[in-house]
Amino acid sequence: MPALIVLVMVVLCAWFADGQKRHIADENLRASVTEQLSLIRARLEGKINGNVQLVQGLVAMMEMEPSIDQSGFAQLVERLLRNDTQIRHIAAAPDLVIRMIYPLKGNEKLIDFDYRLNLAQSGPALQVRDSGELMVTGPVKLVQGGRALIARYPVFVDTPLHEHKFWGLVSAVIDLDRLLRDAGLLAQDLPIEIALASNDAAGQYGTPFFGDARTFQDMPVDMTVQLGRETWRIAAVPKGGWHPLPPDIWTFRLLTALVGIVVMAPMIWGGRLMSERQRNIVVLQQRKDELKEISQRLEIAIDASKIGIWEIDIETGRLLWDERMHQIYDLPQDQAKGDKSDWENALHPDDRKRALGEFSQTSDGKGYEDKFRLLLKNGEIRHVRAIGVSYVNSLGDQKIIGVNWDVTEDVLLQQELREAKRRAEQHNAELEQARRQMEYNSLHDALTHLPNRRFLDQLLAEKAANVALRSPLTILHIDLDRFKEINDTLGHAAGDEILKHVAGLLTHHLPPRDFVARIGGDEFVVVSEMPAENGYYETLSKQIIEAFSTPIIFEGHECRAGASIGIASEGDGSERLEQLLIDADIALYEAKRKGRNRSEFFTDTLRSSVIHTKQTADEILRGLEANEFIAYFQPQFDAHTLEISGVEALVRWDHPGKGIMPPFSFLKIAESLNVVSRLDEIVLEHALRHFQQWAKSGLDIPKVSVNISAQRLHDQNLFNRLSSLGIRPGSVCFELLESISFDEHDELLIGNIQKLKALGIDIEIDDFGTGHASIISLLKLTPRRLKIDRQLIRPILQSSTGRQLVESIIDIGQACGIEIVAEGVESMAHAALLRDLGCHHLQGYAFARPMSGADFLDFARQRNWLTEWESSQPDRLRLPA
């Protein structure tokens, strides 16, 4: 039998090992096919995406220049297609009519082709226009021969009214055969068979357009290739098919058979010897065991059960106990009376009557079974279980024989288990209560007891899953105004009282069905299903704002906290509720931007503005990484000699698609990104570099002025970086806005300005005359120069009041020993008058516009402004009174 078992095991192991080897070979083959197919798919997607990105780049350029003609279009496309690409030609169709194509040669017939008049082309073209997204279709057969993919991309342009208007389509024809060849599908040395199929309008994959259709039926490795909204299915099988036998399979099987023989031979021989020996041992052992079996059974049973055996004669009352019984009752044999009284005296007083009654029923011929307690002499209590059976012996005497065993440990264990169960149930109840409290705490704000952001997210998820069972939703995003000031002045305790007060007001003013949550800080969100008719939410917002404006008294202080509210309503139910929450946040931002303490509804115009801001912000961050921000320079002239007395360095964005962009097109968004200090740093670095280049070229410029933002003035590392630049004292002047420089309460700012002066950097007040500066604060700051704002310079030729105002500023500067710079000098007449009024320096378009560093060098050498000045001398003598 052991040999037979081993034989079966050897056969099973050999069969299993053989199957595993074939399975591993199959898995390795499939893994190899998967790896090769992944590489092919990556190449194919990379080639397609590369072509699509070229089309997207062309579309981005055309959105900025929608009036391009055929010549410009051809040059633009030629530059785009300069690199290796599979695009055969590209056409542009304003208003869905092809007007431009590259290459033109061979495609002249496509000019004036109207997509809307062609039944096969109108559907995809209109679908691209309506979806506003790229659409790639194919493969299609070309009239010129071959197959291709058609990539269509909509072009939208911004109108003067800031509307996003559909301009037309850009269509690119991608050579499919060349695409497949470049992706490696046509390589002769491929070890796999590949097939490609595209999905139809119903999403089903049809007949392969590349490879054999049987490839899809032979358990292939298949993947998908994404083409816009369409997908291809790519499948592969190894050449020669699946399930090839491993090359060393027969060698492996032979070795397995040899191992089986080596294992089986000694087992068979040893088995025969063991069988003979076993037969002899069994015969001897049987004779020995038969002698001990009967006595051992009873002894083992009694010892193992730890029971005591007793017998009582019903008539005489004589009681026989074995040794174990005496141990259970803690009664030595020499002290036992040998009658029923030994048992009765040991019974616990509380159990004696019941136990005797149970036992008396046994004497009537019934079976006996009972549980009772013993009270020993030492006061110990034991629990005993008793079983007995009545019988009549051969002499006719009625007796009862039975057993007792001590179950004290079991009873105590059961009591402990019951107590443990009770404690566990109590603990579970406490845990359940704690769980409910934790769940409540996790879904509610601890201060206001309103639902929190997590509760809001769960609610929106439930609402999104039950669109058909609810009314359209409206979300109000509420943010408290002046809450930070209350926290800063009166402490967080006052802020907490405001928040609890606001929570109570919202609960009071909102219908019971409305959901209100505090999502963090001083922000609240209301989710309502009330109809948005008859200006309901306008009225509700006014009521909330009016209620919030009512002051509350905290420790004798009157606290007022207004509210700004953003409102977004669900339309046809197609919007994601997460987006609806974002829309309400956008509307809230607009309400704050317009002055706070008001409400604003979300509109598509707001969405477009946010998208434009987001795109510009992304481009600014990308432009900073690509070093696209540069410095332009506008010269400043001595008012009397008209020699260049300095330059102002101004930031410009050298955008790769839009060209040189002025600050007003990006500076406000840059401020929101907190990168203005970085722009200031870039301009200073460019200015110092060009400053050195001009000096090497023999051009001596006395001073360069650079704008500096309040954000950079508060930078703790500013002075370390400035010290490392080695700035020559008096050669650099920092221009501060009047609103920044005259903040007398900002001691940090005033201290930093003094540190700048210690580094040899002059301070210049920019846009002077448009803020709220005082003479005292001017004396406190002691700048080197004041720059009069162009708004005050422009009217001085026509307005005597304006001229007197400028003259007063100049007098103030001269009295304080401060040089005066006039910016916005637009004519030589302005220059002459400002010189006569006592202005020291002039800057404006009358002399030069801002220019690059190289252009400024040529401008300074040519000195053309002197010729213009001399030719204007007669004109400046005839100034109006």
Side-chain angles (χ1 to χ4, degrees):
M1 182 60 68
L4 181 61
I5 293 174
V6 172
L7 176 62
V8 172
M9 293 300 297
V10 169
V11 172
L12 290 175
C13 290
W15 173 80
F16 178 77
D18 186 84
Q20 283 295 104
K21 188 169 185 63
R22 288 186 283 107
H23 177 70
I24 292 172
D26 289 345
E27 290 295 322
N28 291 338
L29 182 58
R30 181 167 289 273
S32 176
V33 172
T34 302
E35 180 181 2
Q36 295 168 13
L37 184 61
S38 297
L39 181 59
I40 293 295
R41 183 188 70 167
R43 290 176 183 168
L44 185 58
E45 287 186 336
K47 296 293 182 182
I48 294 173
N49 291 334
N51 293 321
V52 170
Q53 289 174 0
L54 286 177
V55 177
Q56 290 176 335
L58 176 60
V59 169
M61 293 179 183
M62 294 192 68
E63 287 179 343
M64 293 185 293
E65 194 175 350
S67 60
I68 192 171
D69 57 7
Q70 170 63 33
S71 175
F73 178 82
Q75 293 178 1
L76 185 60
V77 177
E78 184 178 9
R79 288 198 300 271
L80 287 175
L81 302 185
R82 189 171 297 165
N83 297 325
D84 182 26
T85 179
Q86 293 78 34
I87 296 178
R88 293 182 61 166
H89 66 264
I90 299 179
D95 296 327
L96 301 181
V97 179
I98 295 178
R99 302 297 186 191
M100 294 165 281
I101 193 166
Y102 177 87
L104 182 60
K105 186 177 179 180
N107 296 303
E108 293 86 354
K109 294 181 180 180
L110 294 178
I111 297 297
D112 295 332
F113 176 83
D114 193 334
Y115 281 98
R116 292 167 293 193
L117 301 180
N118 186 286
L119 185 60
Q121 300 284 347
S122 62
L126 294 177
Q127 189 175 2
V128 170
R129 181 197 66 185
D130 296 338
S131 67
E133 297 177 355
L134 167 72
M135 180 175 292
V136 181
T137 57
V140 298
K141 292 184 178 180
L142 299 176
V143 178
Q144 301 92 330
R147 299 175 298 174
L149 302 178
I150 308 299
R152 298 182 179 91
Y153 204 101
V155 180
F156 293 86
V157 297
D158 292 329
T159 66
L161 298 178
H162 303 288
E163 297 178 346
H164 210 47
K165 181 180 179 183
F166 176 73
W167 177 86
L169 300 180
V170 171
S171 175
V173 177
I174 303 172
D175 192 324
L176 178 61
D177 297 325
R178 184 178 175 188
L179 181 67
L180 297 178
R181 182 196 67 198
D182 293 345
L185 275 77
L186 303 180
Q188 297 297 325
D189 57 347
L190 272 179
I192 57 176
E193 297 285 347
I194 299 177
L196 277 166
S198 61
N199 62 341
D200 56 17
Q204 302 296 323
Y205 291 96
T207 304
F209 61 86
F210 176 81
D212 193 344
R214 289 175 296 181
T215 301
F216 288 103
Q217 303 169 1
D218 191 18
M219 298 183 298
V221 174
D222 62 345
M223 303 175 182
T224 59
V225 179
Q226 195 68 35
L227 292 90
R229 292 189 173 184
E230 296 185 7
T231 57
W232 288 353
R233 183 186 178 194
I234 182 170
V237 297
K239 289 184 177 179
W242 302 103
H243 311 299
L245 289 176
D248 59 342
I249 187 64
W250 288 109
T251 302
F252 175 79
R253 290 174 177 175
L254 179 61
L255 290 175
T256 304
L258 290 176
V259 170
I261 292 173
V262 170
V263 171
M264 286 299 302
M267 286 296 300
I268 294 173
W269 177 253
R272 292 176 61 85
L273 295 177
M274 288 295 293
S275 297
E276 183 68 23
R277 180 175 178 275
Q278 188 68 23
R279 282 195 296 269
N280 295 333
I281 292 175
V282 167
V283 172
L284 295 175
Q285 190 65 32
Q286 283 178 347
R287 294 176 182 176
K288 182 179 179 180
D289 290 344
E290 288 174 355
L291 297 175
K292 295 182 178 181
E293 183 176 2
I294 296 175
S295 60
Q296 286 182 344
R297 285 179 182 176
L298 181 60
E299 184 178 353
I300 291 173
I302 294 174
D303 291 341
S305 61
K306 297 181 180 181
I307 62 176
I309 301 175
W310 55 270
E311 183 182 64
I312 187 170
D313 190 316
I314 299 299
E315 294 181 2
T316 64
R318 182 173 179 76
L319 181 64
L320 299 177
W321 281 358
D322 67 355
E323 183 179 358
R324 177 81 62 179
M325 285 291 294
H326 287 88
Q327 294 176 1
I328 293 174
Y329 284 78
D330 194 26
L331 189 65
Q333 291 186 358
D334 57 353
Q335 296 183 12
K337 298 178 181 179
D339 56 24
K340 189 177 177 183
S341 63
D342 291 332
W343 174 60
E344 294 178 354
N345 293 334
L347 289 173
H348 193 282
D350 295 340
D351 294 348
R352 182 178 290 115
K353 182 178 180 180
R354 180 190 58 77
L356 293 175
E358 292 285 341
F359 184 78
S360 64
Q361 296 178 3
T362 307
S363 61
D364 296 336
K366 297 181 180 179
Y368 169 67
E369 182 174 358
D370 193 12
K371 287 172 106 179
F372 47 81
R373 289 174 294 173
L374 303 178
L375 180 59
L376 305 182
K377 294 180 179 179
N378 59 5
E380 178 186 355
I381 296 177
R382 289 181 180 176
H383 296 263
V384 174
R385 184 173 183 182
I387 297 177
V389 177
S390 64
Y391 74 99
V392 178
N393 62 9
S394 59
L395 300 177
D397 299 329
Q398 186 176 7
K399 297 185 177 182
I400 300 176
I401 189 171
V403 295
N404 280 184
W405 68 90
D406 187 352
V407 294
T408 303
E409 293 182 359
D410 294 340
V411 171
L412 295 178
L413 179 60
Q414 290 178 2
Q415 292 176 351
E416 291 178 1
L417 290 176
R418 285 193 294 268
E419 178 62 21
K421 179 181 179 183
R422 184 193 65 77
R423 289 196 302 268
E425 290 175 349
Q426 180 181 358
H427 184 59
N428 289 337
E430 294 173 354
L431 289 177
E432 177 63 21
Q433 178 64 24
R435 184 195 66 79
R436 287 195 295 266
Q437 186 62 39
M438 289 175 62
E439 183 176 358
Y440 178 87
N441 293 339
S442 69
L443 295 175
H444 290 79
D445 173 46
L447 178 64
T448 63
H449 302 292
L450 290 177
N452 58 15
R453 179 58 185 262
R454 182 183 176 193
F455 200 158
L456 174 64
D457 292 340
Q458 290 185 5
L459 175 76
L460 293 180
E462 293 173 1
K463 297 290 186 182
N466 298 281
V467 178
L469 303 178
R470 62 173 175 80
S471 303
L473 298 182
T474 295
I475 293 181
L476 286 75
H477 194 165
I478 304 170
D479 185 86
L480 301 184
D481 298 331
R482 300 181 300 278
F483 180 75
K484 184 177 183 301
E485 288 83 345
I486 294 175
N487 260 347
D488 293 342
T489 56
L490 300 179
H492 291 286
D496 292 346
E497 286 300 318
I498 289 290
L499 292 174
K500 289 189 286 186
H501 176 67
V502 166
L505 290 176
L506 288 175
T507 305
H508 173 72
H509 282 84
L510 294 173
R513 286 185 56 192
D514 285 0
F515 175 88
V516 57
R518 180 192 176 202
I519 63 172
D522 57 347
E523 296 183 58
F524 297 83
V525 167
V526 176
V527 180
S528 175
E529 293 186 36
M530 297 296 292
E533 293 136 355
N534 300 323
Y536 171 77
Y537 289 105
E538 291 90 337
T539 303
L540 178 61
S541 301
K542 290 179 181 178
Q543 292 175 351
I544 292 175
I545 293 172
E546 182 179 353
F548 281 16
S549 63
T550 303
I552 67 171
I553 305 301
F554 176 78
E555 296 182 353
H557 298 279
E558 187 178 86
C559 302
R560 295 177 182 269
S564 298
I565 304 177
I567 307 171
S569 295
E570 191 176 20
D572 56 3
S574 61
E575 306 98 329
R576 293 186 303 108
L577 295 185
E578 294 85 351
Q579 184 60 47
L580 192 65
L581 186 60
I582 294 172
D583 294 344
D585 184 59
I586 293 172
L588 171 63
Y589 177 81
E590 181 68 8
K592 286 184 170 292
R593 189 184 69 82
K594 288 186 175 180
R596 303 174 182 263
N597 210 35
R598 57 181 294 139
S599 63
E600 285 291 333
F601 281 82
F602 176 80
T603 63
D604 291 336
T605 303
L606 275 181
R607 188 193 302 276
S608 300
S609 175
V610 170
I611 292 174
H612 171 72
T613 301
K614 174 65 167 59
Q615 291 174 344
T616 304
D618 292 341
E619 289 185 351
I620 288 174
L621 297 176
R622 178 197 56 75
L624 286 171
E625 294 177 357
N627 297 320
E628 295 175 0
F629 290 91
I630 59 175
Y632 261 41
F633 303 92
Q634 188 174 24
Q636 298 171 340
F637 301 87
D638 186 285
H640 296 280
T641 65
L642 289 187
E643 294 296 334
I644 296 178
S645 60
V647 294
E648 180 182 3
L650 304 166
V651 66
R652 292 292 187 271
W653 186 0
D654 187 5
H655 195 283
K658 301 177 182 178
I660 302 298
M661 297 176 62
F664 68 81
S665 63
F666 62 86
L667 202 55
K668 185 168 291 186
I669 298 176
E671 289 176 354
S672 67
L673 293 174
N674 291 325
V675 297
V676 175
S677 60
R678 176 57 185 150
L679 295 178
D680 291 345
E681 187 176 357
I682 291 171
V683 171
L684 178 60
E685 292 172 355
H686 283 211
L688 293 177
R689 185 166 61 249
H690 284 289
F691 207 62
Q692 295 174 357
Q693 293 174 356
W694 297 334
K696 292 178 181 179
S697 301
L699 180 62
D700 184 19
I701 302 300
K703 187 184 298 291
V704 59
S705 298
V706 181
N707 290 314
I708 185 168
S709 63
Q711 181 186 26
R712 196 173 185 215
L713 277 174
H714 288 86
D715 185 358
Q716 296 179 353
N717 298 320
L718 172 63
F719 302 100
N720 293 332
R721 287 198 291 268
L722 291 177
S723 300
S724 65
L725 295 178
I727 299 174
R728 178 168 53 86
S731 63
V732 174
C733 182
F734 277 176
E735 293 190 9
L736 282 70
L737 290 177
E738 183 184 10
S739 58
I740 297 175
S741 56
F742 289 107
D743 188 356
E744 300 178 23
H745 301 289
D746 194 338
E747 295 297 335
L748 176 62
L749 180 68
I750 299 299
N752 288 345
I753 292 175
Q754 298 304 324
K755 291 181 182 178
L756 289 177
K757 292 181 180 180
L759 291 176
I761 298 174
D762 293 335
I763 300 300
E764 180 176 316
I765 307 304
D766 195 11
D767 296 340
F768 188 79
T770 59
H772 306 284
S774 66
I775 302 300
I776 295 176
S777 55
L778 182 64
L779 292 173
K780 182 178 180 180
L781 187 63
T782 61
R784 180 65 179 272
R785 299 200 291 184
L786 291 180
K787 181 179 283 188
I788 304 176
D789 189 78
R790 66 183 70 247
Q791 297 180 38
L792 301 178
I793 298 297
R794 187 178 297 114
I796 64 173
L797 292 177
Q798 293 80 22
S799 171
S800 58
T801 302
R803 188 160 57 248
Q804 292 172 1
L805 176 59
V806 171
E807 186 176 6
S808 299
I809 295 175
I810 295 173
D811 291 340
I812 292 173
Q814 291 177 345
C816 297
I818 301 173
E819 296 180 7
I820 304 298
V821 181
E823 65 175 345
V825 181
E826 298 182 353
S827 68
M828 292 301 177
H830 279 93
L833 179 56
L834 289 166
R835 180 199 62 185
D836 296 339
L837 292 176
C839 191
H840 300 93
H841 306 280
L842 305 175
Q843 178 181 345
Y845 288 178
F847 298 100
R849 293 175 177 269
M851 62 192 79
S852 65
D855 292 342
F856 174 75
L857 183 59
D858 294 337
F859 171 82
R861 287 172 172 173
Q862 294 171 4
R863 300 174 64 83
N864 291 335
W865 72 89
L866 293 175
T867 304
E868 298 178 8
W869 169 260
E870 292 172 357
S871 63
S872 68
Q873 289 298 305
D875 294 335
R876 71 185 183 89
L877 297 176
R878 296 190 293 270
L879 295 175

